Amino acid sequence: MMGGVWHRDTISWLIVAAALPAAVAAVGTFGPLALGHMLLALAVIVFWQLVFLWSRAQPVSPIAIVTAIAVGVLAPGEFAPWQIVLAASFGTVIGEQVFGGWGRNIVNAAVAMLAFLYFAFPQTTIPGGGQLLALAVIPGALMLLVTGVLSWQVVLSAVVGTITVSLGLGENPMTVFASGSMVFGLVFLVGDPVASSATRAGRWIYGFLAGALLALLGWTDTGFDGPQAIIFACLVASLLAPLIDAGVIAATRRFWRPYNG
Amino acid sequence: MKALRTLYGPIIDNNPVTLQILGICSALAVTTSLSTALIMSVALTVVLMAGSLTISLIRHHIPTSIRLIVQITIIASLVIVTDQLIQAFAFELSQRLSIFVGLIVTNCLVLSRAEAFAMHNPPGISALDALGNGLGYSLILMIVGFVRELLGAGTLFGQTVFLSVHDGGWFVPLNLMLLAPSAFFILGLLIWVIRTIRPAQVEQTDFVLEPEIGEKTK
Amino acid sequence: MRISLRRGLTVPFKGEPSQIVDRNLAVDRIGLLGHDHGPIRAEVLVAAGEQVAVGTPVYRSRARQELLFCAPVSGTVERIEIGARRRFVEMSIIADGEDRRLDFDTSAADTPEGLRSLLLASGQWPALRARPFERIADPDGTPKALFVTAMDTAPHAPDPAPIIAERSQDFARGLAAMLLLTETPVYLCQPDIEPLARSSEHLKVVRFTGLHPAGLVGTHIARLQPPGDGETVWHIGYQDVIAIGHLLNTSRIDPYRIVSLSGPGVDNPRLVQVPLGADLHALARPNLTPGAKTILSGAVTGGRESTFLGRHDRQVTVVPRAPARQHHWLIEALRRVQTAAAFIPTQALEQTLGSGAPVTPLLRALSIGDAEAAQKLGCLHMAEEDLALASYVTGGTTDFGQKLRRVLDELEAGA
């Protein structure tokens, strides 16, 4: 069979390329600790991918690099190595591999990994990224938008959702978008093509939900909270994504019928 | 021989928690420490045995249309008695178990053994079946409680095994183990291990991803 | 009526054919493929070595004895292959260069019943296909609507307008026959140009604009008259309508079709006039560029590697064959046993389905063979060609057409 370019591996290399500037900016902002976390997480993920390749013939995927970069960007705090190993094992095995690898998962593996990390070790503080990180995400995001890997409906509705709820709470939405961790999470975690909604209308709802939850969970009395908000917003939104799809399909079935006249 | 099968069947091969997936709620809630898990296991086994025995003794006299109400009444009375006994003789543990002993009434395991087995079988074998199921349930609770207490606090039955950093030791307690999701994860991993050893327990999938003839993999 | 389709894709592909028809090609071997018509239990009417003329019935369906399949060239039958359970697989005929054609009796063809028997007897009936399930139309059945497809948006497809303009009398006669065949609405689906026929109560001319898959009949059916519960719709291509018109005007079969010979593997991509079932290897060999090639019957999206031209295909695409690279034995073994990689939903994939249904849930349901979910998402009006673009866009490793065929077979058996 002849094929065009959008095979799973091509897409994953594209996302890796888009995430590399953010990785460099994260190492610049947070120091060598972030790089150490990234490499450790990458080693663990690759190990588990090979285990599942051996036991279940599941093909390995370069998306491991993006997951590792996400760990470095959103969890650069003082975590001990064994904590990173545990979280990475959990995230990749339970979040991705048991379902059949990238493309068949319900939640993003990085989201599962980071949620585990935040729940298990809540005493460690996590610094949010600054404007450098936010700017480093932009070129990658544009490339993904142009190639159609990142859905513009999700990005736009997430931004609208964040702005709406932030204004509703009486806060300044620009603080959110100035935080590099938030922008990274919006583009690479909320915008993950596999974990987000599959229908066109569903994407709008899913994006808006993720953005609204981000603002709702993030704004505290002392300002904007940080990486925890984006992770939990993304987790809840991607868990609800299949339900949103089912609702959209049930509601719009009669509109696939022909035009009248 | 059949009696023996009835007794040890529910421990691994027909375990109420890992195969029939019953009684999960209490399995999550009380397994933060081994002592509460043990008390809960004993309480449930006692209620299960007494309930199954009683229902089996009067099974021919229960009218079919109201049998569920009769069963629940019997089980509820037994649970109240058990709860009072625990409050009388182990008050501190009863405080920690709070409402979960009372919630044994709602535990689907108890009602399901009564309805599925005790209603149709003589008392002796019903009691054995109840004991077997109770032991199976207890086994799972103890395993989950063991993991959660050890990794969540470094203790077993309250005795320190790993000296935690709060007391000047090396062990960093895993906070996640004290939350409910950890019990789900441990239970899930346990079910995975059991079904790898006993593949007969794996359920039939509805759909299979079929390979195609001549399909290329890039 | 004009319908403009917003979703579609261009498939960038080298070797665009020039629209000048080359009629000087001699084809000395043709093949009839059982694959074109679905599983037919056949009764073969000729033997190997026998002489046939254009229009000689060579096999017929066991279930419907009047449904005949006729030879498109005159010559000698070379080889007949029957598969398991008497399913017709392949028959090849060596052409002898003389164009002997049988005469058919067209006197009774001005009544619907007479027309049907003529089409059945002359082997033209298999041109009419029915959906759902994409089988040969039931000769006793009545469709809800009949679609005449006079457009083709596949990459490198021949342009229908000049072909129809050249044979306008035959096309008009064939269209009149379609109107006679059934009382239900006949839709003539054409590109956004001057109407090819006059609209009336019975014949509705619909103009479609948009990129591929706007030209696929599946898209037209979805937009105009999707078959409901227990209903069928029929469809036929414009070149087959021209052939039927020719039969009614001259009492002889027209076995020739105009196909495009294109792709990066051909040094002179153009349109050629060949008989049905032409031997593709002999056809393409004089024009190949150097290097190993794969010859597909059909477009680059959804074409099948085949020795002979498919009955319903109007294109021959020649692409370079990737050389087999020797990898380490472990890598090769791993690659062979791996389960297929999942497809990733991208914006490009959203543009590949002609009906308005959501693409990703449909492809997921087809991947696991969930017939019920696929039916709810609207797979009954589709055939393999409607998913060819989706298979192409997701990298070509998963053939969604094949998966659709499996689901349709399951639904047909259960219906």
Side-chain angles (χ1 to χ4, degrees), chain C residues 200-387:
Chain C
S200 70
E201 181 68 42
H202 195 187
L203 172 70
K204 299 188 194 335
V205 178
V206 186
R207 288 179 291 163
F208 283 88
T209 56
L211 300 169
H212 197 51
L216 289 177
V217 67
T219 310
H220 307 156
I221 293 176
R223 297 286 173 167
L224 292 169
Q225 183 96 55
D229 223 351
E231 295 170 355
T232 52
V233 296
W234 292 359
H235 64 100
I236 185 169
Y238 65 100
Q239 296 206 30
D240 292 310
V241 170
I242 292 175
I244 291 177
H246 180 91
L247 170 66
L248 290 168
N249 279 337
T250 64
S251 309
R252 288 180 175 192
I253 292 181
D254 177 12
Y256 287 95
R257 299 288 182 270
I258 297 180
V259 303
S260 70
L261 177 64
S262 68
V266 182
D267 60 11
N268 182 14
R270 61 199 189 283
L271 302 184
V272 294
Q273 185 177 20
V274 292
L276 286 166
D279 183 347
L280 296 178
H281 290 217
L283 185 69
R285 201 173 297 128
N287 302 298
L288 293 178
T289 56
K293 298 281 178 288
T294 309
I295 302 179
L296 302 170
S297 168
V300 65
T301 58
R304 250 182 106 229
E305 194 171 345
S306 173
T307 336
F308 299 110
L309 182 68
R311 172 72 175 77
H312 306 288
D313 290 328
R314 300 291 167 255
Q315 293 180 244
V316 181
T317 315
V318 183
V319 290
R321 186 193 297 267
R325 290 189 305 183
Q326 282 293 350
H327 289 113
H328 188 262
W329 66 268
L330 184 61
I331 311 277
E332 271 303 316
L334 283 174
R335 206 176 271 173
R336 213 161 295 178
V337 302
Q338 278 173 7
T339 51
F343 72 93
I344 307 291
T346 56
Q347 294 295 83
L349 189 59
E350 293 292 320
Q351 311 286 324
T352 60
L353 211 59
S355 62
V359 185
T360 311
L362 178 64
L363 293 183
R364 284 183 175 155
L366 289 176
S367 295
I368 56 172
D370 187 355
E372 206 181 297
Q375 186 179 6
K376 283 209 186 78
L377 290 162
C379 73
L380 279 180
H381 70 270
M382 294 202 287
E384 289 96 321
E385 60 181 14
D386 294 297
L387 291 173

Side-chain angles (χ1 to χ4, degrees), chain C residues 75-159:
Chain C
T76 324
V77 177
E78 183 194 17
R79 199 176 74 93
I80 304 172
E81 188 183 332
I82 304 282
R85 287 199 263 164
R86 304 241 178 85
R87 296 265 151 88
F88 183 79
V89 176
E90 192 180 289
M91 177 190 295
S92 56
I93 301 178
I94 310 241
D96 56 12
E98 307 158 29
D99 200 8
R100 282 171 292 132
R101 304 196 185 187
L102 292 186
D103 282 304
F104 287 92
D105 179 16
T106 57
S107 54
D110 45 2
T111 61
E113 299 77 28
L115 179 60
R116 285 195 190 205
S117 2
L118 173 64
L119 293 178
L120 286 165
S122 58
Q124 301 299 305
W125 189 263
L128 277 162
R129 287 179 287 174
R131 291 197 186 179
F133 313 128
E134 188 83 335
R135 304 281 186 219
I136 297 180
D138 182 9
D140 292 329
T142 322
K144 197 78 188 340
L146 198 151
F147 288 82
V148 176
T149 314
M151 65 186 292
D152 204 340
T153 51
H156 298 179
D159 186 5

